[in-house]
Amino acid sequence: MLANYLIGLREGLEAALIVTILVAYVVKIGRKDVLPRIWAGVGLAVLLALGIGALLTYGTSTLSFAAQETIGGLLSIAATGLVTWMVFWMLRTARTLSSHLRGSIDKSLLGTGIGLVVVAFIAVGREGIETALFLWAAVQATGETTLPLIGAFLGIVTAAGLGWLIYSGMLRINLSKFFTWTGGILIVVAAGVLSYGVHDLQEAGVLPGLHSIAFDVSAAIPPDSWYGTLLKGTLNFSPATTWLELLVWVAYVGTTLTFFARAVRRGRPSTAAPETLPEEVLAGA
C-alpha cells in the first residue's frame, strides 16, 4: 500500500501540475471559455488509463500460465523502463514544461480549439498510461489487489488535492526536492518490479535459472509475516531470490542510481522545477 501510494502521489502530482499549468494559463489570458476542452482532454486521458488497466487485468485471464507469466514479465520490464525514463525526463525538462505547454495552447487556440483537447489528452494521458502500467506491474508483484489499489487511489487523491492547493496559491512545494527524493525511491521500487518481471519470465521458461537460488531467507523472513509483507509491498523483496534476479536488481540499482546521483550533483533537479509554481504559471514566466 505504501509503495503504491508513493506511485500514485508522484505520478498524480505530475499530472496535476500539468493541468494546473494549462488551466492557469488559459484563465490568465482570459479564455475561460476553452476550459471545458481542457477538462474533456483530461477526462479522455483518465478513461484511457482505466481502459488500459482493465485490459491488462482481464485481457490475460484466459491465457495459459506460461503466456500469463510471459506477458506479465515483459510488461513489468516495460513498466520499469517507462518509470525510469520519466524520472530522468522530469530532471531534464521540468523547467521548460510550463513554456512548452503554453506554446502548445497558443497554437491550439489559433484554430477551432479542438487541438486543446489533444494537448490536454496527450499531456495527461502520458502520465496515465505510465501510472496504469506501473501500478499493474506493482500489484502483480505483490500478489495482492485491494490494498495496493487503495494506496494508489489515496496517492492520486492526495496529488489532486495538492494540485488544487498549488493552483489556488495556498501551498508552495519545493518541487526540486520532491522530485529528487521520490525519483530516487521510485528507482528502488522499480528495481523490485524489474526483478519480479525477470522471475515471471523464468517461470514461463523464457529465461533460465529458475532453480538457481542465490539466497533463501524464508526461515528468517517468512513471506506471510508482517515484516515480510512490508518488504514485499515496498521493495518487492523475495525471500527466495534467484541469481539472475539478484544480478538484474544490483545492475539496475547500481547503474540507475549512479546516473541519477550525477544528475543531482550537476544541479539539474534544483534548476528543473521551480519552488513557487503558482507565481510562475500565473505570471506566464
Side-chain angles (χ1 to χ4, degrees), residues 21-47:
I21 292 171
L22 293 174
V23 172
Y25 184 61
V26 297
V27 170
K28 177 180 179 294
I29 63 176
R31 292 299 307 271
K32 291 184 179 181
D33 57 297
V34 300
L35 283 176
R37 297 171 187 172
I38 292 179
W39 292 117
V42 173
L44 291 174
V46 172
L47 290 177

Side-chain angles (χ1 to χ4, degrees), residues 28-241:
K28 177 180 179 294
I29 63 176
R31 292 299 307 271
K32 291 184 179 181
D33 57 297
V34 300
L35 283 176
R37 297 171 187 172
I38 292 179
W39 292 117
V42 173
L44 291 174
V46 172
L47 290 177
L48 175 63
L50 292 175
I52 291 176
L55 179 63
L56 293 174
T57 302
Y58 302 108
T60 60
S61 59
T62 59
L63 299 177
S64 65
F65 174 79
Q68 289 184 23
E69 296 301 294
T70 300
I71 293 175
L74 293 176
L75 288 177
S76 295
I77 294 173
T80 301
L82 190 58
V83 167
T84 305
W85 174 77
M86 283 300 298
V87 166
F88 284 93
W89 179 81
M90 284 301 296
L91 293 180
R92 186 177 65 254
T93 63
R95 183 175 177 81
T96 61
L97 179 62
S98 180
S99 59
H100 172 74
L101 289 173
R102 293 197 306 270
S104 298
I105 292 174
D106 290 336
K107 293 178 181 178
S108 300
L109 292 177
L110 293 177
T112 61
I114 299 299
L116 197 56
V117 178
V118 178
V119 170
F121 173 76
I122 294 177
V124 179
R126 178 175 54 193
E127 304 293 338
I129 293 174
E130 175 193 359
T131 304
L133 184 58
F134 195 61
L135 284 178
W136 182 85
V139 169
Q140 293 295 113
T142 59
E144 301 287 342
T145 54
T146 304
L147 287 180
L149 292 179
I150 291 176
F153 175 76
L154 292 176
I156 293 173
V157 170
T158 303
L162 291 176
W164 182 81
L165 291 174
I166 291 173
Y167 173 77
S168 62
M170 292 187 292
L171 177 67
R172 297 185 183 185
I173 296 179
N174 189 323
L175 298 177
S176 169
K177 290 184 179 180
F178 175 83
F179 285 119
T180 298
W181 282 100
T182 58
I185 295 173
L186 276 183
I187 288 174
V188 178
V189 174
V193 174
L194 177 62
S195 177
Y196 177 80
V198 169
H199 183 77
D200 271 356
L201 293 179
Q202 287 181 310
E203 288 191 331
V206 176
L207 293 177
L210 178 61
H211 302 293
S212 299
I213 305 299
F215 60 83
D216 188 348
V217 293
S218 300
I221 308 178
D224 56 351
S225 63
W226 69 267
Y227 45 92
T229 302
L230 178 64
L231 290 173
K232 180 68 174 178
T234 55
L235 302 177
N236 286 307
F237 173 77
S238 175
T241 299

Side-chain angles (χ1 to χ4, degrees), residues 232-250:
K232 180 68 174 178
T234 55
L235 302 177
N236 286 307
F237 173 77
S238 175
T241 299
T242 66
W243 280 106
L244 185 56
E245 288 179 75
L246 179 61
L247 177 62
V248 169
W249 191 94
V250 172

